[in-house]
Amino acid sequence: MARVPPPGSLVIYDWHRRQDSKEYFNKILHKKRRKRFGLLESPVMPPHAAVDTVHYKIFLSGKSGVGKTALAARLAGLNIPNVHHETTGIETTVVYWPVKLRESGRVLFFRLQLWDCGENALRRFDHLLPSCKEQVDAVLFLFSFTDRTSFDDLSNQVAKWTEPSAGFIVKLVVGTKFDLYMHCDVSDRDVRDFQEKWSLPVLRTGGEVVDVLGDVAPLLNCLSENLWHQDCVTAGSLSNRPQQDTTTAP
C-alpha cells in the first residue's frame, strides 16, 4: 500500500468554502440539498468548464449495526435511516464530489460508488464478498464509538485486507456515532494506539447533518486524496491519472 499522504498535501480541503468552487458544487446541489445520482447519471458542466471524472469503487466493512448504511446515506446527502435494519444483500450508492488539486489547480469530479453488504448476508452467501472485492479501489473500516466489540474487531478486519492477495487499495477507518459521547466505549487513547499500530487515518462522524457540504467534506476529501495518491504512485507520477471521463454538456 502506498504511504498515506499528509492531509491537504494533494487536495485543497476547504475548497468547498471558496468562491471559485461554487460553479462545481452547484452541480451536485438542488435547492441547497444534495442531488441524488443514479448509476447512469452524472453532473453536467458547461463546455467552457469541462471536468474530468475519475471512477472508484469503495467497500464499506464493519459489523452489523455500526452504521454502514447510514454513512453511505450521509455521504450521498440522502435521508439517514432512523431505525436500523440489516442490509439483506448488496446496496450501492453513487456519490459525486468535486476536488481541486493543490499543485496544478486542476478540478476533478470523483465518482465514488459505495458498496454496502450486510454482515449476515456475507456469511450466508459465499459469492457476495468476492463481488464486493472485485476491482475495489478502497475499503472503509467502520466501528461505532458506542460498541467496543466493533472497535476490537478492526485489527482483524484490516489484517485480512493487508494480505498480498488483497492488492493495492486505499484503507481508511471511520468511527460512527461520535456524537453519542455519553455512551462512548472507545477512548481517544484507544484510537491513537490503533493509529500508531496500523498507520491508518481514523475519521469521525455522527449526529445531525447541519452543513450539507461541511459535514461530509473532511471524509470525502480525505478519501479522494488517498485514492488520487494511490493512483499516482501506481502510475509512477503525481500529476497524471489514467482512465478518465470528461464531464461536459451533452
Side-chain angles (χ1 to χ4, degrees):
M1 185 185 73
R3 180 180 58 84
V4 175
S9 59
L10 300 179
V11 167
I12 299 176
Y13 271 32
D14 65 345
W15 188 55
H16 62 285
R17 298 192 182 99
R18 302 187 183 185
Q19 187 61 37
D20 64 320
S21 73
K22 302 304 179 187
E23 182 177 15
Y24 302 93
F25 280 99
N26 283 342
K27 297 303 179 181
I28 65 170
L29 297 173
H30 178 67
K31 295 182 179 179
K32 298 183 179 181
R33 298 194 63 181
R34 296 276 295 284
K35 291 181 181 178
R36 181 168 188 168
F37 293 96
L39 292 176
L40 302 179
E41 297 176 309
S42 63
V44 178
M45 296 295 295
H48 74 274
V51 178
D52 286 328
T53 300
V54 286
H55 300 243
Y56 297 96
K57 176 180 177 180
I58 318 298
F59 178 58
L60 306 183
S61 175
K63 292 185 58 183
S64 176
V66 296
K68 297 187 294 293
T69 302
L71 178 65
R74 178 184 292 271
L75 295 180
L78 307 178
N79 292 328
I80 300 175
N82 293 321
V83 180
H84 170 254
H85 295 287
E86 174 80 14
T87 303
T88 56
I90 296 175
E91 293 184 1
T92 62
T93 306
V94 174
V95 177
Y96 278 93
W97 187 250
V99 164
K100 189 170 187 177
L101 302 181
R102 181 172 296 280
E103 182 177 352
S104 65
R106 181 183 177 191
V107 176
L108 298 169
F109 264 116
F110 279 70
R111 183 189 186 274
L112 309 172
Q113 188 176 50
L114 308 178
W115 284 54
D116 170 24
C117 189
E119 184 182 23
N120 290 327
L122 287 174
R123 291 174 177 171
R124 291 179 58 192
F125 304 106
D126 294 338
H127 68 282
L128 292 183
L129 185 57
S131 296
C132 293
K133 286 186 172 182
E134 184 179 8
Q135 295 183 325
V136 70
D137 297 294
V139 57
L140 300 183
F141 300 102
L142 273 67
F143 73 94
S144 169
F145 275 96
T146 63
D147 181 358
R148 178 73 196 193
T149 60
S150 68
F151 179 79
D152 292 338
D153 188 51
L154 277 180
S155 293
N156 181 48
Q157 289 189 57
V158 175
K160 291 180 179 179
W161 286 83
T162 308
E163 298 171 354
S165 59
F168 295 100
I169 58 173
V170 169
K171 305 177 185 70
L172 300 179
V173 179
V174 181
T176 64
K177 306 179 185 178
F178 185 61
D179 58 309
L180 302 179
Y181 55 89
M182 293 294 292
H183 307 281
C184 186
D185 288 335
V186 181
S187 68
D188 289 339
R189 178 60 182 270
D190 293 329
V191 173
R192 287 196 301 271
D193 290 345
F194 176 86
Q195 286 181 290
E196 290 178 5
K197 177 180 179 180
W198 292 100
S199 299
L200 293 177
V202 178
L203 299 104
R204 297 163 171 80
T205 184
E208 295 292 330
V209 176
V210 178
D211 181 347
V212 174
L213 298 177
D215 283 347
V216 297
L219 200 159
L220 289 176
N221 283 328
C222 180
L223 177 58
S224 299
E225 183 168 57
N226 278 269
L227 285 166
W228 184 256
H229 180 259
Q230 177 71 68
D231 270 3
C232 291
V233 170
T234 302
S237 169
L238 285 177
S239 59
N240 296 310
R241 202 275 179 183
Q243 298 182 348
Q244 298 162 354
D245 296 334
T246 300
T247 302
T248 62

